[in-house]
Amino acid sequence: MKIQIAALFALVAGSAHAFTPSAPSNAAQSSKLASAVSEETAESSSADKATQDPLLIRAARGEKTERTPVWMMRQAGRHIAEYRDLCKKYPTFRQRSEIPDVAVEVSLQPWRNYQTDGCILFSDILTPLPGMGLEFTIDEKVGPLMDPIRDYDGLKKMRPIDPSTAAPFVAEALKTLREEVGPETAVLGFVGCPYTLATYVVEGKTSKEYLEIKKMAFNEPKLLHSILKNIADSIGEYALYQIESGAQLIQIFDSWAGHLSARDYDEFAAPYQKMILDKIKAAHPEIPTVVYIKHSGALIERMASTGVDVVSLDWTVDMAEGRERIAKARAAAGLEGPGGVQGNLDPGVLFGNQDTIKERTHEILKKAGNTGHVMNLGHGIEAATSEENAAFFIETVRNFRHEE
């Protein structure tokens, strides 16, 4: 389903231009005639694979790539003027993320403006919760609000998700994005991990200290484990639904697991991350997976040991040290290969001058190397970031070439 220009024109009142996605142009590629049939066949097979698999997907699988792919967490959203204009017509986040045509347009804006190598679905980690019996609202100033679950009576409200009933708009948006961006750009899906989602379920809102969920962990651990397992079962199904709808990579966000001690991470976070990862790999072993946790410097080895394909580092970790720690952890866990890495420019650097942005970006690219690295920020882009500097960051990465 291609986006209809006339319909999309109505999305933003007073806009001078309709939403007309256009794929980034690519130089035509030519190949020499092979002197032998076997060489010709191999060359054709390689070309077919390159067409089938976008640069970002190949990097996430640990392949050596011609350049480092790049996208930005939270790349679709408030720092883009087009998005802020669209918010005037669609004032609530759930409108913007649950009306398929609107979600598609928001998803496409940074890809169209910056030529990112990944186009991530504009959505929220809480989106599947109503399908699990957990209704929520989003106050534009306060954030998510819901009735908390803090006892076994509340637990009875939870039910297994049917993604096709709970979030058909997600499937429609992903299918449209695959059509719009073309074969060279990866369409990215994502889910929230059980512990992070449980913080909202137990707290009933966003939190700074997470005291309610920690009280449950230390006083009613069986109850918390029941909540986490229910979430993990449904989120695994939701991740598969995204893949079957067109997502070519799944990033799992356990954003608030960085508030846990190592012992509590091992009990309440990692096992449920692994449930989702294992379900993805059992059904779709070809789909790369990425895990991100904010303030995760102390947890890198534990993240890598889950078997995830790519560990997304925040900006507090040196890239070279992070790669070494990931490789050692995977080896100790008996996992094949050094593992991939994503990140990890401090989003604050994008408030600096362009010389600083370029120097810091090049430093990370050189430390990461040309194999198994997806360039990104160490956290989501800040809303006050200028589009000019965001574009410069993407352009800097796209123009960089590793020395042979």
Side-chain angles (χ1 to χ4, degrees):
M1 180 189 73
K2 289 285 183 180
I3 295 177
Q4 298 299 314
I5 295 177
L8 285 172
F9 185 82
L11 287 175
V12 182
S15 173
H17 301 283
F19 303 146
T20 53
S22 57
S25 60
N26 299 285
Q29 297 183 351
S30 62
S31 59
K32 296 180 180 180
L33 292 175
S35 58
V37 174
S38 61
E39 293 176 345
E40 184 174 334
T41 301
E43 189 171 314
S44 175
S45 175
S46 176
D48 289 344
K49 180 173 176 58
T51 300
Q52 182 181 2
D53 299 332
L55 179 73
L56 190 152
I57 301 303
R58 288 184 279 128
R61 288 181 184 151
E63 300 177 22
K64 183 177 180 180
T65 51
E66 54 272 28
R67 66 172 177 83
T68 300
V70 59
W71 68 284
M72 297 179 291
M73 287 184 281
R74 291 186 186 167
Q75 65 184 23
R78 292 175 298 170
H79 85 281
I80 295 178
E82 292 169 278
Y83 175 81
R84 297 194 297 273
D85 290 341
L86 187 144
C87 290
K88 298 172 185 176
K89 184 171 180 63
Y90 298 95
T92 73
F93 182 89
R94 293 190 68 171
Q95 285 178 313
R96 298 189 292 272
S97 61
E98 296 181 14
I99 299 173
D101 284 350
V102 182
V104 167
E105 165 56 20
V106 176
S107 303
L108 290 174
Q109 286 172 354
W111 170 79
R112 195 167 54 217
N113 296 350
Y114 307 143
Q115 297 190 353
T116 55
D117 294 299
C119 180
I120 191 165
L121 172 69
F122 183 74
S123 186
D124 192 87
I125 61 171
L126 303 185
T127 294
L129 291 188
M132 299 157 59
L134 304 169
E135 293 293 339
F136 71 94
T137 59
I138 295 181
D139 184 292
E140 296 295 311
K141 294 182 179 180
V142 177
L145 298 171
M146 61 192 304
D147 292 332
I149 292 179
R150 295 178 185 169
D151 54 34
Y152 282 96
D153 286 338
L155 180 65
K156 295 175 184 177
K157 295 193 304 183
M158 299 186 72
R159 64 175 185 264
I161 195 172
D162 175 2
S164 63
T165 300
F169 47 86
V170 166
E172 185 175 342
L174 285 167
K175 289 172 183 176
T176 304
L177 288 174
R178 283 294 298 271
E179 295 174 357
E180 294 296 337
V181 302
E184 295 187 353
T185 301
V187 172
L188 314 178
F190 70 93
V191 297
C193 287
Y195 179 78
T196 289
L197 292 176
T199 64
Y200 295 96
V201 172
V202 176
E203 301 283 341
K205 58 184 178 181
T206 57
S207 176
K208 292 184 178 180
E209 303 299 333
Y210 305 98
L211 296 181
E212 292 297 334
I213 194 169
K214 289 190 176 185
K215 281 196 289 185
M216 184 180 290
F218 303 140
N219 293 296
E220 292 274 4
K222 290 183 179 179
L223 174 58
L224 181 53
H225 279 298
S226 295
I227 294 172
L228 292 167
K229 186 180 184 306
N230 285 352
I231 294 174
D233 288 339
S234 286
I235 293 301
E237 291 301 315
Y238 181 54
L240 296 184
Y241 181 67
Q242 290 189 32
I243 293 166
E244 289 152 10
S245 301
Q248 295 164 287
L249 175 150
I250 296 292
Q251 177 152 324
I252 65 174
F253 287 88
D254 216 348
S255 306
W256 311 135
H259 290 263
L260 292 171
S261 69
R263 173 177 171 174
D264 293 327
Y265 177 85
D266 289 343
E267 180 174 355
F268 297 110
Y272 300 101
Q273 294 171 12
K274 198 170 188 312
M275 283 180 63
I276 296 169
L277 294 168
D278 288 349
K279 182 171 280 193
I280 292 171
K281 288 303 181 183
H284 296 282
E286 78 285 359
I287 296 295
T289 54
V290 183
V291 62
Y292 176 80
I293 301 174
K294 187 179 180 182
H295 300 316
S296 58
L299 300 172
I300 291 173
E301 287 80 5
R302 286 172 162 81
M303 295 163 70
S305 297
T306 61
V308 72
D309 296 306
V310 177
V311 173
S312 190
L313 300 175
D314 75 8
W315 71 94
T316 65
V317 180
D318 177 82
M319 175 57 73
E321 294 175 3
R323 293 220 72 163
E324 182 179 0
R325 290 171 62 186
I326 292 166
K328 287 182 177 179
R330 286 179 60 88
L335 298 169
E336 183 179 352
V341 67
Q342 179 174 267
N344 65 335
L345 186 72
D346 182 345
V349 171
L350 297 187
F351 291 90
N353 60 57
Q354 293 189 350
D355 287 341
T356 299
I357 295 171
K358 184 174 183 178
E359 187 270 325
R360 295 294 186 94
T361 300
H362 281 189
E363 178 185 16
I364 292 169
L365 289 166
K366 291 173 183 177
K367 287 184 175 182
N370 62 355
T371 303
H373 177 220
V374 177
M375 187 65 188
N376 207 312
L377 304 177
H379 187 48
I381 187 170
E382 296 290 344
T385 305
S386 73
E387 293 181 65
E388 180 183 4
N389 279 1
F392 181 78
F393 165 64
I394 299 297
E395 180 184 18
T396 297
V397 180
R398 289 178 61 89
N399 289 338
F400 181 85
R401 295 295 182 272
H402 291 278
E403 296 179 2
E404 294 296 333

